[in-house]
Amino acid sequence: MADTLTITDNRTGKSYEVPIENGAIPTTALLQCRASEDDVGVRGYDPSFTNTASCKSRITFLDGERGILRYRGYPIEQLADQSNYLECAYLIVKGELPDVESFARWERNVTLHTMVHENIKTFISGFRYDAHPMGILLGTVGALSTFYPDASDVENLESRRLQTRRLIGKLPTIAAYAYRHIRGYPYIYPDNDLSYTGNFLSMLFRMQERRYKPDPVIERALDTLFVLHADHEQNCSTNAVRAVGSSLVDPYSAIAAGIAALYGPRHGGANEAVVRTLQRIGSVGNVARSVAQFKSGEERLMGFGHRVYKNFDPRGTIIKKLAYEVFEVTGKNPLIDVALELERIALEDDYFVERKLYPNVDFYSGIIYQAMGFPMTMFPVLFAIGRTAGWLAQWAEMIRDPEQRIARPRQLYCGEDERDYIPLDDRSPAGDREDMVSDDI
Ligand code: CMC
């Protein structure tokens, strides 16, 4: 049995044999299907990449039907239970788990880069007191490219390694400064004797004490949340990082593009939106009424649904368990009861069942973050810290891949045919044509 697909062009009666590799056909093979001499060939049309692979990747395996997620082959459940974020970052970026010596070196190398230039503090101080911390993160990570002009040497392996350590090291510092800025607190310098996540908690929450001692349960839970968010193959923000990075711009600019994509409510901003929704619902008794609203199409139930997972999101299952460990320390976040009831009713409802809409990673993460004392606007920032390892690994994989060129999708032009320019005074009113773009401007 040949691994090929035979395509017959019924306009010409010609057949073409196209190779199937890794379960996919190269859509460029369709270019040979031409109806006439001046035909450019058939194109693939796939808005939002529903069934188009944009790259080959060796980083993350995801089976949405079976709820499987693996980083470099290791199941997410094992990593969440036994590993830690820095080790997972190593695994994702370098491809293998480190041995004792390599891990110590990696930890030291990342830790060396937790400080930021003093001008970054001044830069962040320029944001308004009520600036969204995700906007601060986005702007500041973009600004880092001006501090490290050497980062533009993206084809240099040593430069890529250095920027990777810098970004993984500095993201928590910038995130913590953003938080302290909106709170109006002085910034806290990194304490490199603490763990990656312990130091982050110190930079966030340290007040008068000489030394901040993170609660081990909170430190471990937040670290696990970073592990769960570390990569998720070709999601919206990773696609943004790869597409922007394919122009060979420096990684700070490419990662800033990823942060911008993650900011949106359909992606990393969903965790913030979930908690707002749960607060609005207010109590278990109001849940049934609210579900009707989500079914009417008026509003989406944030934290539900996924482009790829169609049975359950394995990260959601782990996070739900984690919530109770955190509540042991922080006290129960009463929104968990509203969330559980919402999940129960939705999972029995035909609307959600037919569309295969299940709780995703964002449904329970916000409830934990809130119990830990984070304001809602910080939730997507926490997602971004974890995802930085994945973005960097995907970016480096894209740069090294000889099959990757500048990202440049095709379009199907459906607009006007050629027409002559009419001077302003001679034009008749445009009227109310339905396809006019005037309401966009
Ligand atoms: N609530 C109500 N209806 C929904 C929802 C939802 N959360 N999600 C999808 N639907 C409906 C949608 O209206 C459509 O119905 P119909 O076929 O009648 O028009 C159908 O389900 C398919 O939706 P879609 O928008 O075509 O699905 P998609 O694969 O393009 O979108 C999604 C995936 C995650 C953007 C979407 O499910 C959504 O908006 N969820 C809420 C936001 C959210 O929780 N985002 C976090 C995703 S997980 C973490 C991450 O990667 O960022």
Side-chain angles (χ1 to χ4, degrees):
M1 195 177 64
D3 278 347
T4 60
L5 186 75
T6 302
I7 299 172
T8 303
D9 186 341
N10 292 320
R11 298 169 304 174
T12 59
K14 284 192 192 159
S15 287
Y16 306 88
E17 201 166 319
V18 177
I20 301 176
E21 203 191 315
N22 299 314
I25 59 157
T27 40
T28 44
L30 300 173
L31 291 172
Q32 56 188 318
C33 307
R34 293 201 184 110
S36 63
E37 279 282 290
D38 54 358
D39 187 354
V40 292
V42 172
R43 294 211 194 287
Y45 176 59
D46 185 7
S48 320
F49 304 114
T50 310
N51 190 35
T52 296
S54 62
C55 62
K56 291 178 184 160
S57 181
R58 304 173 67 84
I59 302 169
T60 290
F61 174 78
L62 207 168
D63 180 334
E65 291 300 327
R66 294 190 290 155
I68 296 175
L69 172 63
R70 298 181 198 135
Y71 300 154
R72 303 282 187 184
Y74 295 100
I76 191 68
E77 292 79 6
Q78 290 181 24
L79 293 171
D81 195 37
Q82 297 171 56
S83 183
N84 60 60
Y85 178 67
L86 261 197
E87 186 180 64
C88 277
Y90 183 105
L91 171 70
I92 288 171
V93 167
K94 293 178 183 277
E96 292 295 342
L97 283 170
D99 57 24
V100 173
E101 204 181 301
S102 318
F103 181 70
R105 195 165 49 240
W106 168 249
E107 193 173 30
R108 197 172 51 246
N109 283 341
V110 170
T111 302
L112 266 176
H113 291 289
T114 49
M115 294 286 280
V116 292
H117 193 288
E118 283 292 288
N119 286 6
I120 290 286
K121 280 172 38 185
T122 327
F123 183 81
I124 292 180
S125 301
F127 284 94
R128 282 177 59 108
Y129 70 95
D130 58 353
H132 195 295
M134 196 65 167
I136 300 181
L137 187 74
L138 161 58
T140 310
V141 170
L144 281 185
S145 75
T146 66
F147 289 80
Y148 303 111
D150 57 310
S152 60
D153 195 5
V154 296
E155 286 174 296
N156 178 318
L157 173 65
E158 280 315 313
S159 172
R160 286 203 301 271
R161 285 184 174 153
L162 176 59
Q163 314 319 324
T164 298
R165 297 195 289 264
R166 278 179 175 155
L167 269 158
I168 294 177
K170 289 183 201 318
L171 250 283
T173 313
I174 298 171
Y177 282 11
Y179 168 79
R180 305 279 300 195
H181 175 74
I182 55 172
R183 284 278 197 250
Y185 298 149
Y187 304 146
I188 302 290
Y189 287 116
D191 177 346
N192 287 343
D193 290 333
L194 294 172
S195 73
Y196 182 82
T197 302
N199 169 49
F200 178 49
L201 287 165
S202 163
M203 291 188 292
L204 287 161
F205 298 131
R206 200 178 122 200
M207 287 298 171
Q208 295 298 329
E209 61 270 47
R210 288 188 59 199
R211 200 79 197 278
Y212 181 84
K213 272 210 198 112
D215 181 290
V217 175
I218 302 290
E219 182 180 355
R220 172 75 192 151
L222 187 57
D223 196 77
T224 306
L225 284 159
F226 290 156
V227 169
L228 297 177
H229 287 90
D231 193 48
H232 212 235
E233 54 120 297
Q234 305 313 310
N235 55 86
C236 176
S237 57
T238 301
N239 183 56
V241 170
R242 278 182 172 260
V244 171
S246 75
S247 72
L248 301 190
V249 72
D250 68 88
Y252 301 98
S253 304
I255 300 298
I259 296 171
L262 192 70
Y263 198 172
R266 296 235 165 139
H267 194 8
N271 50 18
E272 186 181 342
V274 171
V275 171
R276 289 190 200 285
T277 304
L278 295 176
Q279 280 182 338
R280 206 187 56 221
I281 295 173
S283 71
V284 170
N286 294 336
V287 169
R289 211 172 328 125
S290 318
V291 169
Q293 201 181 342
F294 300 124
K295 286 159 55 176
S296 71
E298 253 175 70
E299 192 189 338
R300 287 192 174 201
L301 173 52
M302 302 313 276
F304 258 68
H306 200 275
R307 172 64 60 78
V308 186
Y309 292 122
K310 296 299 172 198
N311 262 320
F312 67 98
D313 181 336
R315 302 167 301 173
T317 314
I318 299 169
I319 287 185
K320 200 165 146 184
K321 274 210 325 250
L322 204 60
Y324 289 96
E325 288 169 30
V326 171
F327 297 161
E328 289 287 316
V329 179
T330 62
K332 186 167 136 186
N333 182 343
L335 290 182
I336 189 85
D337 292 332
V338 182
L340 286 169
E341 179 67 355
L342 196 50
E343 178 182 352
R344 189 189 66 77
I345 296 187
L347 293 186
E348 287 173 357
D349 191 290
D350 284 351
Y351 175 92
F352 293 90
V353 173
E354 276 161 21
R355 290 169 179 76
K356 300 190 170 190
L357 302 171
Y358 296 88
N360 59 45
V361 69
D362 290 321
F363 193 65
Y364 287 102
S365 61
I367 298 176
I368 304 184
Y369 295 143
Q370 196 180 43
M372 287 175 172
F374 288 103
M376 277 182 269
T377 52
M378 277 298 284
F379 301 173
V381 172
L382 301 170
F383 192 152
I385 294 176
R387 186 54 57 85
T388 300
W391 286 331
L392 287 161
Q394 301 270 352
W395 165 73
E397 190 177 59
M398 180 273 305
I399 298 275
R400 286 197 319 265
D401 183 347
E403 289 183 356
Q404 290 290 329
R405 295 152 72 194
I406 188 163
R408 205 309 183 182
R410 292 292 187 154
Q411 64 165 14
L412 305 180
Y413 178 71
C414 302
E416 302 292 344
D417 209 345
E418 183 179 352
R419 48 185 174 164
D420 287 325
Y421 180 83
I422 304 167
L424 184 60
D425 291 341
D426 299 347
R427 283 176 226 158
S428 49
D432 278 338
R433 275 179 40 187
E434 252 186 33
D435 62 343
M436 285 292 288
V437 290
S438 54
D439 57 350
D440 287 339
I441 46 180

